[in-house]
Amino acid sequence: MPELPEVETIARGLDKGVRGDVIDSVWLGSYPEPLKSSAQQIAGTLTGTRIARVRRVGKHLVFDLEPKRSRNGRGSRQWIVHLGMTGRMLVASPDEELPKHTHAVASLASGRELRFVDPRRFGRLSVRAAADFAGPGTEPLTITAEQFTELFRSRKTSIKAALLNQKLLHGVGNIYADESLFRAGIRPRRAAGRLTRAELDALHAAIKQVLNDAIRLGGSSVSDYVNAEGREGFFQLRHRVYMRTGQPCLVCRTRIKRIVLGGRGTHYCPKCQK
DNA sequence: AATGAAACCTGACAGC
DNA sequence: TGCTGTCAGGTTTCAT
């Protein structure tokens, strides 16, 4: 479900809501599918630790955990969460009904709960020892125009597929790839390596602008994204092409087209995007 | 090495 | 009402 702006919004909400809180106990659902580390590893690492900070790296939530005093001189640990397509990480009161497809619950010393809910089970949880989680690629919000250009040099694949490749940029998904390409005036099918420097500069700027605008509006709620407090975002109201197939382009009135690229539904304006 | 298709899951919705 | 088919914010794996 969530791309960079949604994960950023969730991370900010979680940081505000649970920073400094202590995880008293952890419950994990009976099936191991949504876990990347073993249930034992996760429960063992989380139980009794204080949450120092929650932040976003790419599309991952990173919980920085304070070292446990009982453990002899081991460094800090991290809890890494990927929400997949439909994952939610919610701060809730134990009185609230446990939603269907809840796979993990961390009970906090403050009396609240951290709940991981994920109907499609594409989400992944893991714990790790080091405090240097970097994610697979480069952050789109801080990359320079030069670095950005370098990423796509001599790539034969489409620019759309390249934007979705997390080993290059991490954090851009299907919505923001389509929206950025529209704003930059570039057709999704264009070969990444054949874009001009001017086009790449425009795309670089468009991505930053779209992501920042989306963060400001709390992300895009297309079907079921909500933030850590369970509230929807508003950027879906600003979508210009994504899921607007057949509707008039907001700039030129041409009908928005939908194709499949890299296995993903791809939306663009045939007139505005060259 | 890199590209694309299929697989992994459940749910919502359209059409019959 | 209920069946079938399609689609969905993502990533990994497997075949070319």
Side-chain angles (χ1 to χ4, degrees), chain A residues 3 160 163 172-186 188 203 206-207 210-211 214 220 235-244 250 256 267-268 273:
Chain A
E3 306 181 30
K160 164 80 185 249
L163 287 176
V172 177
N174 208 33
I175 294 175
Y176 299 103
D178 282 4
E179 292 297 319
S180 300
L181 286 168
F182 174 81
R183 284 160 175 80
I186 299 167
L203 183 57
I207 288 171
V210 165
L211 294 177
S220 301
F235 193 72
Q236 67 279 9
L237 304 174
R238 304 282 180 92
H239 291 175
R240 297 188 191 166
V241 286
Y242 181 75
M243 293 293 251
R244 294 195 65 250
L250 299 174
I256 299 300
H267 315 77
Y268 69 100
Q273 294 174 254

Side-chain angles (χ1 to χ4, degrees), chain A residues 12-158:
Chain A
R12 287 180 187 182
L14 291 171
D15 189 62
K16 203 172 155 197
V18 305
R19 179 199 277 241
D21 218 329
V22 172
I23 299 173
D24 280 342
S25 62
V26 176
W27 170 88
L28 292 164
S30 54
Y31 38 83
E33 286 91 333
L35 312 175
K36 213 154 91 184
S37 303
S38 76
Q40 221 171 16
Q41 276 178 307
I42 293 172
T45 301
L46 296 185
T47 305
T49 50
R50 184 183 300 275
I51 298 166
R53 186 156 101 102
V54 189
R55 58 203 169 89
R56 174 199 64 76
V57 174
K59 294 177 190 171
H60 301 260
L61 291 170
V62 179
F63 291 75
D64 291 315
L65 306 171
E66 287 184 11
K68 284 193 232 182
R69 256 181 245 136
S70 54
R71 219 169 257 183
N72 45 345
R74 306 297 292 277
S76 345
R77 308 212 158 212
Q78 291 179 312
W79 179 25
I80 311 293
V81 177
H82 195 294
L83 296 169
M85 290 266 253
T86 53
R88 298 177 172 193
M89 186 63 80
L90 299 161
V91 182
S93 152
D95 319 329
E96 293 172 61
E97 194 180 341
L98 210 57
K100 202 174 168 184
H101 305 299
T102 300
H103 306 312
V105 178
S107 300
L108 304 171
S110 63
R112 291 164 307 161
E113 289 181 347
L114 212 42
R115 296 172 171 178
F116 173 63
V117 182
D118 183 18
R120 271 176 91 178
R121 303 201 276 188
F122 289 162
R124 293 291 179 268
L125 310 182
S126 62
V127 289
R128 44 184 282 131
D132 59 351
F133 181 75
T138 312
E139 273 294 313
L141 290 179
T142 51
I143 191 170
T144 65
E146 283 69 30
Q147 290 172 309
F148 186 84
T149 303
E150 198 53 41
L151 286 184
F152 303 109
R153 176 155 299 173
S154 74
R155 299 225 163 235
K156 292 195 176 71
T157 191
S158 66

